[in-house]
Amino acid sequence: NRTASSVRTYCYNLCWLAKRMDGFTETEVPKPEDVLKYMEDNEVPLKRRQMSFSSMKVLHNARNEPALSKQYAQPLVDVKYQLNKESFQQKRTQTQKKNWIDYKCLKKHAKELREKTFALDKNELWTKDQYAEAQLAFILTFHLKYPIRRDLCTVKYNVEDNENGNNLVGKSFVFKQHKLTRHKKEFTMRLDRVMWRLVQLLRRQHSMRGMTKGNLILNRYWKPILPNSFTNWMKREMGKLEACKGKNVSCLSIRHSVITHKRRNDTTLEQRKQFAENCMHSAAMNELYRIH
């Protein structure tokens, strides 16, 4: 009963491991002790270990090898314990320190990109660079208010058979396919005047290329983007901005920056609950985000 996004993530993690370990092929899988030794010898980060162990458990279960799957149970528990310990300390990891971008910089770049987009002739076909900047202007504007994960790239419009997916409904985004789907949760994000104007400009470029429905967020060749590809797209386009040069800034980096900023300004419990709802998680989860 796993979602297509979860399956893709597991496959990606297995591919990551297969590229780095000898004897990992489509038919041959390394022994658990070999995988654990590789993680220790190469000092693989905890988050990567967690994803790799989870994926290996799923793989062995799919191959009907419960004994091998169980050998990852305790290492996975130990990794989660260490990750939770770091989370409660609320300290940034070395990677986060390197890629962190200040909220004021995000806000400044979002404004600059919007102004460039609004100055373009909407009746002409934009170049790839112009379209990428216009799309990034919308993404930044959206994330500064709704710092969600990569779910934004799966939003569709005018697709009638996508009732259980993420859709543009009126002037709102309705998310029905995300990490909290198992809890039957649905989130509605109301677009403000500026965001709606940017959406209209993007859709106009779509229609001028013969597209009247499909994904709202597209790559540089006007094709749909998968979540992992969206991360790479964000890192590449954000890296062109002045404050992001030399950094890998993706949705997670923006999410941490925005949540940290908002937490310092939201004082009442109602404000914190409302903002957590915009982040698609609980108010308690906001407290685990890095602040140092």
Side-chain angles (χ1 to χ4, degrees):
N1 296 327
R2 302 183 187 278
T3 64
S5 177
S6 296
V7 173
R8 285 194 296 267
T9 301
Y10 290 133
C11 292
Y12 172 80
N13 294 329
L14 292 173
C15 290
W16 182 92
L17 195 58
K19 287 182 178 180
R20 289 160 177 80
M21 288 194 66
D22 296 331
F24 200 143
T25 65
E26 294 182 2
T27 56
E28 298 293 329
V29 179
K31 296 179 181 179
E33 51 266 29
D34 293 337
V35 175
L36 297 176
K37 186 176 184 302
Y38 174 83
M39 296 293 176
E40 291 296 333
D41 292 345
N42 293 274
E43 299 182 352
V44 177
L46 293 174
K47 191 64 178 177
R48 174 58 65 183
R49 295 191 192 196
Q50 180 189 25
M51 294 188 293
S52 298
F53 294 161
S54 298
S55 300
M56 291 299 292
K57 277 178 63 67
V58 171
L59 177 62
H60 284 303
N61 287 331
R63 291 161 60 98
N64 197 23
E65 299 170 339
L68 294 175
S69 177
K70 287 181 180 179
Q71 294 187 42
Y72 289 101
Q74 189 57 46
L76 187 56
V77 170
D78 294 339
V79 168
K80 288 182 177 179
Y81 173 78
Q82 291 296 327
L83 285 171
N84 288 336
K85 186 176 179 181
E86 289 185 0
S87 294
F88 282 113
Q89 290 176 346
Q90 294 181 314
K91 293 183 179 179
R92 299 178 194 168
T93 64
Q94 291 300 319
T95 302
Q96 287 174 332
K97 288 179 180 178
K98 177 183 177 182
N99 297 325
W100 196 272
I101 178 170
D102 189 71
Y103 177 84
K104 291 182 179 179
C105 291
L106 287 173
K107 196 173 181 180
K108 173 187 175 184
H109 284 309
K111 182 180 178 182
E112 291 174 347
L113 289 170
R114 286 199 303 270
E115 290 176 347
K116 289 180 67 175
T117 300
F118 293 151
L120 295 174
D121 188 344
K122 65 180 181 180
N123 295 316
E124 291 185 1
L125 283 176
W126 297 343
T127 64
K128 292 178 181 179
D129 290 334
Q130 289 173 330
Y131 181 84
E133 287 185 344
Q135 190 164 254
L136 186 59
F138 166 72
I139 292 171
L140 281 180
T141 303
F142 184 86
H143 277 296
L144 288 174
K145 184 174 183 180
Y146 303 114
I148 64 172
R149 297 180 178 88
R150 299 175 298 178
D151 303 81
L152 183 61
C153 74
T154 60
V155 172
K156 299 180 183 295
Y157 67 96
N158 295 343
V159 179
E160 297 178 356
D161 59 350
N162 195 45
E163 294 180 358
N164 295 321
N166 304 325
N167 293 288
L168 173 63
V169 180
K171 293 186 178 181
S172 300
F173 286 159
V174 178
F175 293 91
K176 294 183 180 180
Q177 190 178 47
H178 47 79
K179 288 199 171 186
L180 296 180
T181 301
R182 60 185 180 275
H183 301 303
K184 308 299 181 183
K185 287 207 170 186
E186 177 182 309
F187 296 92
T188 300
M189 310 300 193
R190 178 73 177 176
L191 303 181
D192 59 27
R193 183 179 60 82
V194 175
M195 285 190 283
W196 178 243
R197 184 181 176 187
L198 289 167
V199 166
Q200 288 180 307
L201 290 173
L202 293 177
R203 289 178 60 182
R204 184 172 181 81
Q205 289 297 309
H206 293 186
S207 64
M208 292 174 69
R209 290 176 171 82
M211 298 178 290
T212 57
K213 62 180 181 179
N215 287 49
L216 179 66
I217 304 299
L218 306 175
N219 62 18
R220 292 176 66 86
Y221 300 96
W222 298 281
K223 301 292 184 182
I225 308 181
L226 296 176
N228 287 333
S229 301
F230 184 55
T231 297
N232 294 331
W233 185 92
M234 284 286 292
K235 288 178 179 179
R236 182 177 63 250
E237 298 303 328
M238 289 293 293
K240 298 176 182 178
L241 303 179
E242 182 181 351
C244 303
K245 290 181 178 178
K247 298 182 178 182
N248 289 326
V249 181
S250 61
C251 289
L252 185 60
S253 304
I254 296 173
R255 184 177 170 88
H256 273 284
S257 182
V258 175
I259 291 177
T260 298
H261 173 80
K262 292 289 185 181
R263 281 183 55 195
R264 290 171 177 160
N265 292 279
D266 292 343
T267 55
T268 67
L269 179 60
E270 188 62 33
Q271 286 178 318
R272 291 198 293 271
K273 285 183 177 180
Q274 181 58 50
F275 178 61
E277 185 80 5
N278 294 343
C279 300
M280 290 186 176
H281 57 216
S282 65
M285 180 59 71
N286 270 5
E287 300 303 314
L288 297 180
Y289 272 74
R290 304 331 192 231
I291 60 175
H292 298 298

